[in-house]
Amino acid sequence: MKKLSARRRHPLAAVVVLLLALAATGGLYAAFAPAGKAQADDTAQSLAIDEGKKLYSVGCASCHGTGGQGTTDGPQLVGVGSAAVDFQVGTGRMPAQQPGAQVPKKKAIYSQAEIDQLAAYVASLGAGPITPTESQVDPAGADAAKGGELWRTNCAQCHNFTGKGGALTEGKYAPNIEGVSPKHIYEAMQTGPQAMPSFPDSTMPEQEKKDIIAYIKSVNGDETASPGGLSLGGLGPVSEGLFGWIFGLGGLIAIAVWVAAHTAKAKKS
């Protein structure tokens, strides 16, 4: 015991204890930390960025620059984020067929895996809106009535009451939203493509975006009932009624005038 007490009083005893404690801490961290999973995620992300850079060099760099810095033929992509890439390429708007007032939607030429790689590369150039998850765009449980209020306040001026679209100035237009996926509607609100303003979460929170998606799905979805006739951009089948009022009532008035002009009293006078 005396020998052990003497060792405890040794000047290097505290140093030895500290080294043992550090070694034990390091061992425990190495044993329980999810280093393998994190490393695998990093590796997968790096591979996606590398593959995306190759796709970008072939299909995008001629307009947007080799590093996404932009050129006279295409805007800068630094900071646009993965959501903008997923929307533009996923809806076929990019690569653009030709310059113009507005790039139209067309069939996508890249697979979703390739779009994800392109988005990973562009996102690596600078922070921006991130591609939403399935739960973020799922309108289940959202308030369609609230979404209708938000839609009429922020969107109906261009996209019409039910998202049928409409003309804008200088050759631009607000496209019809029929058939557009909830993810692309969400991303359009996030990023503000072309003439559309953006609605970041600081302006329009995630729940309000989901409410708008629920409203669009209820009035312009695959299962939306059609009342028939000419819809006039979602205002309803009123054209037939307008035709009846103008021409039908006008015809009745004309007949009444003709009858009055051919009565016996009218002929005597």
Side-chain angles (χ1 to χ4, degrees):
M1 293 298 291
K2 290 181 179 179
K3 188 176 181 181
L4 181 60
S5 298
R7 288 179 176 175
R8 287 176 178 172
R9 291 194 296 269
H10 193 279
L12 296 177
V15 177
V16 173
V17 172
L18 178 61
L19 291 175
L20 290 174
L22 291 174
T25 303
L28 291 172
Y29 178 80
F32 296 104
K37 184 175 184 301
Q39 186 175 4
D41 291 344
D42 291 343
T43 302
Q45 183 69 7
S46 298
L47 288 174
I49 292 173
D50 290 342
E51 293 301 317
K53 186 176 182 179
K54 295 175 185 176
L55 293 169
Y56 177 91
S57 299
V58 174
C60 315
S62 60
C63 292
H64 296 285
T66 54
Q69 72 275 18
T71 70
T72 55
D73 295 326
Q76 176 181 246
L77 297 184
V78 178
V80 302
S82 60
V85 177
D86 191 75
F87 174 85
Q88 297 285 357
V89 182
T91 59
R93 289 178 168 84
M94 292 291 152
Q97 287 181 326
Q98 59 185 14
Q102 185 157 330
V103 180
K105 177 183 178 181
K106 64 181 185 300
K107 184 179 179 181
I109 65 171
Y110 291 99
S111 67
Q112 187 58 53
E114 292 172 328
I115 294 171
D116 292 340
Q117 292 168 347
L118 275 170
Y121 170 67
V122 173
S124 72
L125 301 177
I130 301 172
T131 305
T133 63
E134 290 185 8
S135 61
Q136 283 180 290
V137 305
D138 186 0
D143 188 343
K146 178 66 176 177
E149 294 177 8
L150 293 167
W151 176 267
R152 289 186 288 274
T153 304
N154 299 284
C155 317
Q157 299 91 333
C158 299
H159 288 282
N160 209 308
F161 300 99
T162 57
K164 295 293 185 181
L168 302 176
T169 58
E170 300 179 350
K172 299 177 182 177
Y173 61 90
N176 188 344
I177 302 180
E178 183 177 3
V180 179
S181 70
K183 183 177 75 165
H184 289 153
I185 295 175
Y186 193 101
E187 290 172 339
M189 290 187 279
Q190 273 184 305
T191 61
Q194 305 195 67
M196 179 175 168
S198 62
F199 297 89
D201 287 349
S202 57
T203 302
M204 182 177 287
E206 178 182 323
Q207 183 58 48
E208 293 186 355
K209 291 187 178 72
K210 295 173 73 171
D211 292 341
I212 287 179
I213 293 172
Y215 169 73
I216 289 299
K217 187 177 180 181
S218 67
V219 298
N220 199 3
D222 296 336
E223 299 178 358
T224 302
S226 173
L230 299 176
S231 63
L232 294 180
L235 291 177
V238 298
S239 54
E240 294 86 347
L242 183 65
F243 181 88
W245 272 102
I246 293 177
F247 293 96
L249 187 59
L252 290 174
I253 293 174
I255 292 173
V257 171
W258 184 85
V259 170
H262 290 77
T263 59
K265 184 178 179 179
K267 289 180 178 178
K268 289 180 180 178
S269 61

